[in-house]
Amino acid sequence: MSDAQAEVEKLGSGSSEDSGSQRAEIFDRQTGWRGYYYHPVTQVSILGLVCFMCPGMFNALSGLGGGGQVNTTDQANSSASVYSTFAFFGFFSGSVNNVLGPRRTLMLGTWGYSLYIAAFLAVNIHPGAGAFVVTAGAILGICAAFLWTAQGSLMMSYPTEAQKGMFISIFWAIFNLGGVVGSAVAFGNNFKSTSNSVSNGTYVGFLILTLIGVLLPLIMADPDKMIRTDGTRVNLVRHPSWKTEFFSLFVALKTDPWVILLFPMFIASNYFYTWQFNDYNGAIFNIRARGLNNFMYWTSQIFGSILIGYFVLDQKRVRRRVRAFYGWALVFFMVFVVHVWAYFYQKTYTRAQEAATGAYKIDILDKTYAAHVWLMIFYGLLDSMWQTYAYWLMGAMSNDPAKLAVFTGFYKSLQSAGAAGVWAADGAKVPYMNIFLSTWCLTVAGMIFAAPMVYLRVTDHTEIEDEALMQIAGVERIEPPVVATAEKA
């Protein structure tokens, strides 16, 4: 028996969870430097660095409130255009990913972030260039749909079932370091600023980092050559036509209709950013306090993803089905903690009051600052737990990269549709309290609708039948021959 087979037997004896392919052929993993390079953890880490450089800088900029500008209207309208195009193209991006392949799709998605950062640099130099920011946002929405679908497909297909929470945590920690580093740069560059907007140097630094991110997909391994840690090869799919790929969207819903119960959770997953960033951080703090809040927010996300991913969702001593309920209860509890807390702050100010000339902005030296920044920290914890749990639920439904790409496309499309609506509302000057209450209600509804899906769909082990999307859709699938070792037999 090969070493890889022995590893699988060892894993199988301690847990019923592996890649879901006990009956598949077992391959020997490469050794030496190739073994490190082709290791799933290495590739997910590089994937995290891509998102560190591109979406990470986008998050750092957005988290400052108004994209670091005094007037948040251009950024709100740009964000609405980002998520509008994201919502449309995200619905089909899973099929694009399956045809082009994850690496090409990932690279195609990165360059929109550089354009977006450049647009804010332009409007900082020429204040009348707001239309450029909105246009760049629309282009970024298309690119982001491709990037995040490729990311989700890779991140959820490389680990074994028992490792999915850990891999999501690794990715989320590296990705959010982008927001941490970007926020630290913004905080340092604008520590003594009195203009209440960020400097040109901040935008230039962000732009350079996003351009590095454009090149990183070139050093990633071909997914077709990847072997999981249990010796099973990542599933390979041959795609005969675009028609078949688009048909797979409907096949996914037909074969796995329970995913519909996750749609409210998907819609809520970016909806809460508007109130956090523009209507709280951007509304009542000065620029250096906004920078520090942003730094604390993204730092807390690292700990939140590790907490729920490693310590809750990947606890091997507990069955996967039980872990699913533990994760649901933790996220549901956090929803109420942060929103009850935030409600008492939101009652103290309105949009009209904060827009008034000379309105006081909270500074990091104020006595009230500490309590306010702790709310940002807890919002960061909630966000990372929400996103990690959503990805983990999708990963628990299948190990098929093609099916996971479709699920991720649904996720990012609906996520963006919700975000587009709330950013448009913010751009239209809807009262802060209205946006806050709608955020609270939507997050509660997302968890309530997800509960029956968790109860009815999440099992202790993913069955082979759950990985048959492409076969049902009529796509020729490359399956390794089925073997049975003496021990398994």
PDB file of all heavy atoms in Angstrom, residues 420-435:
ATOM      1  N   ALA A 420     -25.869  46.267  -3.672  1.00  0.00           N
ATOM      2  CA  ALA A 420     -26.193  47.324  -4.640  1.00  0.00           C
ATOM      3  C   ALA A 420     -27.394  48.130  -4.173  1.00  0.00           C
ATOM      4  O   ALA A 420     -27.415  49.366  -4.255  1.00  0.00           O
ATOM      5  CB  ALA A 420     -26.462  46.711  -6.014  1.00  0.00           C
ATOM      6  N   GLY A 421     -28.413  47.429  -3.665  1.00  0.00           N
ATOM      7  CA  GLY A 421     -29.612  48.124  -3.210  1.00  0.00           C
ATOM      8  C   GLY A 421     -29.348  49.037  -2.030  1.00  0.00           C
ATOM      9  O   GLY A 421     -29.790  50.193  -2.011  1.00  0.00           O
ATOM     10  N   VAL A 422     -28.597  48.565  -1.051  1.00  0.00           N
ATOM     11  CA  VAL A 422     -28.386  49.375   0.142  1.00  0.00           C
ATOM     12  C   VAL A 422     -27.394  50.514  -0.112  1.00  0.00           C
ATOM     13  O   VAL A 422     -27.530  51.610   0.460  1.00  0.00           O
ATOM     14  CB  VAL A 422     -27.936  48.496   1.333  1.00  0.00           C
ATOM     15  CG1 VAL A 422     -26.511  47.979   1.152  1.00  0.00           C
ATOM     16  CG2 VAL A 422     -28.079  49.255   2.653  1.00  0.00           C
ATOM     17  N   TRP A 423     -26.408  50.307  -0.995  1.00  0.00           N
ATOM     18  CA  TRP A 423     -25.509  51.410  -1.336  1.00  0.00           C
ATOM     19  C   TRP A 423     -26.254  52.488  -2.116  1.00  0.00           C
ATOM     20  O   TRP A 423     -26.002  53.692  -1.932  1.00  0.00           O
ATOM     21  CB  TRP A 423     -24.316  50.906  -2.148  1.00  0.00           C
ATOM     22  CG  TRP A 423     -23.230  50.286  -1.320  1.00  0.00           C
ATOM     23  CD1 TRP A 423     -22.835  48.972  -1.314  1.00  0.00           C
ATOM     24  CD2 TRP A 423     -22.375  50.933  -0.369  1.00  0.00           C
ATOM     25  NE1 TRP A 423     -21.815  48.768  -0.423  1.00  0.00           N
ATOM     26  CE2 TRP A 423     -21.501  49.951   0.173  1.00  0.00           C
ATOM     27  CE3 TRP A 423     -22.263  52.251   0.087  1.00  0.00           C
ATOM     28  CZ2 TRP A 423     -20.537  50.250   1.135  1.00  0.00           C
ATOM     29  CZ3 TRP A 423     -21.304  52.545   1.044  1.00  0.00           C
ATOM     30  CH2 TRP A 423     -20.458  51.564   1.555  1.00  0.00           C
ATOM     31  N   ALA A 424     -27.166  52.069  -2.986  1.00  0.00           N
ATOM     32  CA  ALA A 424     -27.984  53.053  -3.707  1.00  0.00           C
ATOM     33  C   ALA A 424     -28.849  53.848  -2.727  1.00  0.00           C
ATOM     34  O   ALA A 424     -29.030  55.057  -2.875  1.00  0.00           O
ATOM     35  CB  ALA A 424     -28.858  52.349  -4.744  1.00  0.00           C
ATOM     36  N   ALA A 425     -29.390  53.155  -1.731  1.00  0.00           N
ATOM     37  CA  ALA A 425     -30.195  53.843  -0.714  1.00  0.00           C
ATOM     38  C   ALA A 425     -29.348  54.851   0.058  1.00  0.00           C
ATOM     39  O   ALA A 425     -29.795  55.961   0.360  1.00  0.00           O
ATOM     40  CB  ALA A 425     -30.808  52.820   0.238  1.00  0.00           C
ATOM     41  N   ASP A 426     -28.114  54.475   0.361  1.00  0.00           N
ATOM     42  CA  ASP A 426     -27.234  55.392   1.074  1.00  0.00           C
ATOM     43  C   ASP A 426     -26.888  56.597   0.211  1.00  0.00           C
ATOM     44  O   ASP A 426     -26.845  57.731   0.705  1.00  0.00           O
ATOM     45  CB  ASP A 426     -25.956  54.655   1.485  1.00  0.00           C
ATOM     46  CG  ASP A 426     -25.136  55.438   2.494  1.00  0.00           C
ATOM     47  OD1 ASP A 426     -25.678  55.754   3.571  1.00  0.00           O
ATOM     48  OD2 ASP A 426     -23.956  55.733   2.208  1.00  0.00           O
ATOM     49  N   GLY A 427     -26.673  56.355  -1.083  1.00  0.00           N
ATOM     50  CA  GLY A 427     -26.400  57.457  -1.995  1.00  0.00           C
ATOM     51  C   GLY A 427     -27.590  58.392  -2.132  1.00  0.00           C
ATOM     52  O   GLY A 427     -27.423  59.588  -2.394  1.00  0.00           O
ATOM     53  N   ALA A 428     -28.805  57.850  -1.955  1.00  0.00           N
ATOM     54  CA  ALA A 428     -30.029  58.655  -2.021  1.00  0.00           C
ATOM     55  C   ALA A 428     -30.357  59.313  -0.683  1.00  0.00           C
ATOM     56  O   ALA A 428     -31.432  59.894  -0.524  1.00  0.00           O
ATOM     57  CB  ALA A 428     -31.191  57.786  -2.476  1.00  0.00           C
ATOM     58  N   LYS A 429     -29.474  59.206   0.303  1.00  0.00           N
ATOM     59  CA  LYS A 429     -29.606  59.841   1.615  1.00  0.00           C
ATOM     60  C   LYS A 429     -30.769  59.309   2.444  1.00  0.00           C
ATOM     61  O   LYS A 429     -31.429  60.057   3.173  1.00  0.00           O
ATOM     62  CB  LYS A 429     -29.748  61.361   1.459  1.00  0.00           C
ATOM     63  CG  LYS A 429     -28.686  62.023   0.596  1.00  0.00           C
ATOM     64  CD  LYS A 429     -27.292  61.826   1.150  1.00  0.00           C
ATOM     65  CE  LYS A 429     -26.241  62.560   0.313  1.00  0.00           C
ATOM     66  NZ  LYS A 429     -24.854  62.302   0.783  1.00  0.00           N
ATOM     67  N   VAL A 430     -31.034  58.017   2.349  1.00  0.00           N
ATOM     68  CA  VAL A 430     -32.029  57.393   3.222  1.00  0.00           C
ATOM     69  C   VAL A 430     -31.553  57.535   4.670  1.00  0.00           C
ATOM     70  O   VAL A 430     -30.353  57.412   4.941  1.00  0.00           O
ATOM     71  CB  VAL A 430     -32.219  55.908   2.846  1.00  0.00           C
ATOM     72  CG1 VAL A 430     -33.075  55.178   3.877  1.00  0.00           C
ATOM     73  CG2 VAL A 430     -32.839  55.788   1.464  1.00  0.00           C
ATOM     74  N   PRO A 431     -32.457  57.803   5.619  1.00  0.00           N
ATOM     75  CA  PRO A 431     -32.029  57.973   7.016  1.00  0.00           C
ATOM     76  C   PRO A 431     -31.193  56.814   7.530  1.00  0.00           C
ATOM     77  O   PRO A 431     -31.444  55.653   7.213  1.00  0.00           O
ATOM     78  CB  PRO A 431     -33.362  58.089   7.772  1.00  0.00           C
ATOM     79  CG  PRO A 431     -34.309  58.648   6.767  1.00  0.00           C
ATOM     80  CD  PRO A 431     -33.902  58.057   5.455  1.00  0.00           C
ATOM     81  N   TYR A 432     -30.197  57.149   8.350  1.00  0.00           N
ATOM     82  CA  TYR A 432     -29.316  56.132   8.911  1.00  0.00           C
ATOM     83  C   TYR A 432     -30.093  55.040   9.647  1.00  0.00           C
ATOM     84  O   TYR A 432     -29.786  53.850   9.525  1.00  0.00           O
ATOM     85  CB  TYR A 432     -28.334  56.773   9.906  1.00  0.00           C
ATOM     86  CG  TYR A 432     -27.267  57.637   9.290  1.00  0.00           C
ATOM     87  CD1 TYR A 432     -26.666  58.665  10.045  1.00  0.00           C
ATOM     88  CD2 TYR A 432     -26.816  57.444   7.986  1.00  0.00           C
ATOM     89  CE1 TYR A 432     -25.668  59.457   9.513  1.00  0.00           C
ATOM     90  CE2 TYR A 432     -25.828  58.246   7.450  1.00  0.00           C
ATOM     91  CZ  TYR A 432     -25.252  59.255   8.218  1.00  0.00           C
ATOM     92  OH  TYR A 432     -24.263  60.035   7.688  1.00  0.00           O
ATOM     93  N   MET A 433     -31.091  55.441  10.439  1.00  0.00           N
ATOM     94  CA  MET A 433     -31.836  54.467  11.222  1.00  0.00           C
ATOM     95  C   MET A 433     -32.557  53.471  10.328  1.00  0.00           C
ATOM     96  O   MET A 433     -32.640  52.273  10.658  1.00  0.00           O
ATOM     97  CB  MET A 433     -32.833  55.170  12.145  1.00  0.00           C
ATOM     98  CG  MET A 433     -33.624  54.231  13.048  1.00  0.00           C
ATOM     99  SD  MET A 433     -32.591  53.268  14.197  1.00  0.00           S
ATOM    100  CE  MET A 433     -32.320  54.482  15.498  1.00  0.00           C
ATOM    101  N   ASN A 434     -33.080  53.921   9.201  1.00  0.00           N
ATOM    102  CA  ASN A 434     -33.766  53.011   8.270  1.00  0.00           C
ATOM    103  C   ASN A 434     -32.807  51.957   7.732  1.00  0.00           C
ATOM    104  O   ASN A 434     -33.138  50.773   7.642  1.00  0.00           O
ATOM    105  CB  ASN A 434     -34.380  53.799   7.105  1.00  0.00           C
ATOM    106  CG  ASN A 434     -35.530  54.691   7.542  1.00  0.00           C
ATOM    107  OD1 ASN A 434     -35.713  54.934   8.727  1.00  0.00           O
ATOM    108  ND2 ASN A 434     -36.308  55.179   6.590  1.00  0.00           N
ATOM    109  N   ILE A 435     -31.606  52.393   7.360  1.00  0.00           N
ATOM    110  CA  ILE A 435     -30.614  51.452   6.841  1.00  0.00           C
ATOM    111  C   ILE A 435     -30.182  50.488   7.938  1.00  0.00           C
ATOM    112  O   ILE A 435     -30.035  49.279   7.702  1.00  0.00           O
ATOM    113  CB  ILE A 435     -29.405  52.211   6.262  1.00  0.00           C
ATOM    114  CG1 ILE A 435     -29.833  52.971   4.996  1.00  0.00           C
ATOM    115  CG2 ILE A 435     -28.253  51.261   5.956  1.00  0.00           C
ATOM    116  CD1 ILE A 435     -28.735  53.802   4.363  1.00  0.00           C
TER     117      ILE A 435
END
